[in-house]
Amino acid sequence: TQLLEQSPQFLSIQEGENLTVYCNSSSVFSSLQWYRQEPGEGPVLLVTVVTGGEVKKLKRLTFQFGDARKDSSLHITAAQPGDTGLYLCAGAYRFTGAQKLVFGQGTRLTINP
Amino acid sequence: DTAVSQTPKYLVTQMGNDKSIKCEQNLGHDTMYWYKQDSKKFLKIMFSYNNKELIINETVPNRFSPKSPDKAHLNLHINSLELGDSAVYFCASSETRPVRVRGKEQYFGPGTRLTVT
C-alpha cells in the first residue's frame, strides 16, 4: 500500500520557470523530509518540516508542511539546470529507538537550458 | 571521512546463491537501516536496528537476515537469491536522541546494486 503519493513523477521544464512538487497522504506524520538523489548515490536530506503549516526556504526552494501534517509541497522558483535530479519526499513515523520513513514515488526533474 | 559506507558497490550473482552486503557508519549514530530501491526508484524500508536490537522489521522474506555486530555495523545477508531481489540496497543511519526532537535526518550510504541472473 502506497501511503505517500508524490506528483508529478516526471517533470521537464525550461530554465527560469517555476514548479511545484506535491506529496499527499491520508496519514499523519511526525515530520516530513525532502531528499534529493543523484545517479549512483544515496539520497541526501534537503529539509525537514515538523510543525503543521511550517514553511522553510532553502535559496530558491520553498518547502511547506500541511496544517494537518499529512501533506507537503516543494516549490522551486526560477529553476536552474543544476536543480535537475530525483526528489523524494518521506513521511516519518517515530518508534522507540528508530524512525520509519515512508517514501513517495519520487519526482524526476529535468531543467532544460 | 566517509560517513556511511557499503561494500560491495556492485554485486552480480546467480539465482540460488547466498550473498552479504556490509555497512559501516562512523557518525556515532545508534540506529541503522536497510532500504531497497527498485527499478522505478521507489525506496522502501526493510529493517532498522538500534544498538544491535531489531526495531523495525517490514514484510521482508525471511531469506533476508540483518545482523548487527555492534552499533556501527549493520550487515545484510540474503539466502537463495531470486531474480526479484535485483535492486539497489541502501544502508542509512541516524541519531535517535534526544527523543523529544522530531525529524531526525537519516544519512544514506552510496548503495549496493545487486543483480541476480
Side-chain angles (χ1 to χ4, degrees), chain B:
Chain B
D1 59 347
T2 304
V4 182
S5 59
Q6 294 179 228
T7 54
K9 176 75 172 172
Y10 300 95
L11 185 53
V12 181
T13 188
Q14 292 184 325
M15 286 175 56
N17 285 347
D18 303 339
K19 290 294 178 184
S20 291
I21 307 171
K22 296 187 175 182
C23 178
E24 176 181 3
Q25 55 94 4
N26 62 5
L27 297 167
H29 291 163
D30 49 7
T31 302
M32 297 183 72
Y33 307 81
W34 276 110
Y35 288 86
K36 178 180 180 180
Q37 188 171 46
D38 63 23
S39 58
K40 295 184 179 180
K41 302 299 184 185
F42 181 56
L43 198 57
K44 191 175 188 328
I45 190 168
M46 300 172 69
F47 303 102
S48 176
Y49 270 75
N50 176 272
N51 280 321
K52 302 191 293 178
E53 180 184 354
L54 182 64
I55 302 295
I56 297 172
N57 185 353
E58 291 293 285
T59 309
V60 177
N62 57 16
R63 299 181 295 103
F64 290 78
S65 53
K67 284 188 171 50
S68 182
D70 56 61
K71 74 173 190 176
H73 296 84
L74 180 62
N75 304 322
L76 183 64
H77 188 75
I78 315 170
N79 290 325
S80 302
L81 278 154
E82 299 178 358
L83 292 176
D85 297 333
S86 294
V88 181
Y89 292 83
F90 286 99
C91 176
S93 73
S94 71
E95 294 179 332
T96 47
R97 284 186 292 269
V99 175
R100 67 178 182 280
V101 177
R102 289 184 284 167
K104 293 292 187 180
E105 176 177 3
Q106 292 190 16
Y107 292 80
F108 285 79
T112 295
R113 180 175 294 278
L114 171 66
T115 304
V116 182
T117 62

Side-chain angles (χ1 to χ4, degrees), chain A residues 21-40:
Chain A
V21 178
Y22 299 93
C23 267
N24 295 295
S25 175
S26 57
S27 300
V28 177
F29 298 111
S30 67
S31 68
L32 197 135
Q33 302 177 7
W34 285 90
Y35 288 80
R36 178 173 166 171
Q37 185 178 11
E38 301 298 334

Side-chain angles (χ1 to χ4, degrees), chain A residues 24-90:
Chain A
N24 295 295
S25 175
S26 57
S27 300
V28 177
F29 298 111
S30 67
S31 68
L32 197 135
Q33 302 177 7
W34 285 90
Y35 288 80
R36 178 173 166 171
Q37 185 178 11
E38 301 298 334
E41 298 179 9
V44 176
L45 183 72
L46 294 173
V47 79
T48 300
V49 284
V50 177
T51 307
E54 182 176 3
V55 176
K56 281 192 174 178
K57 292 194 174 185
L58 193 66
K59 296 183 180 178
R60 294 175 293 100
L61 278 60
T62 302
F63 303 85
Q64 184 161 7
F65 202 10
D67 291 341
R69 306 207 328 266
K70 295 181 179 181
D71 54 83
S72 182
S73 64
L74 157 61
H75 182 79
I76 301 179
T77 304
Q80 303 293 311
D83 296 327
T84 294
L86 179 67
Y87 290 81
L88 300 165
C89 63

Side-chain angles (χ1 to χ4, degrees), chain A residues 14-25:
Chain A
Q14 293 300 119
E15 180 176 0
E17 294 183 358
N18 302 332
L19 66 107
T20 303
V21 178
Y22 299 93
C23 267
N24 295 295
S25 175

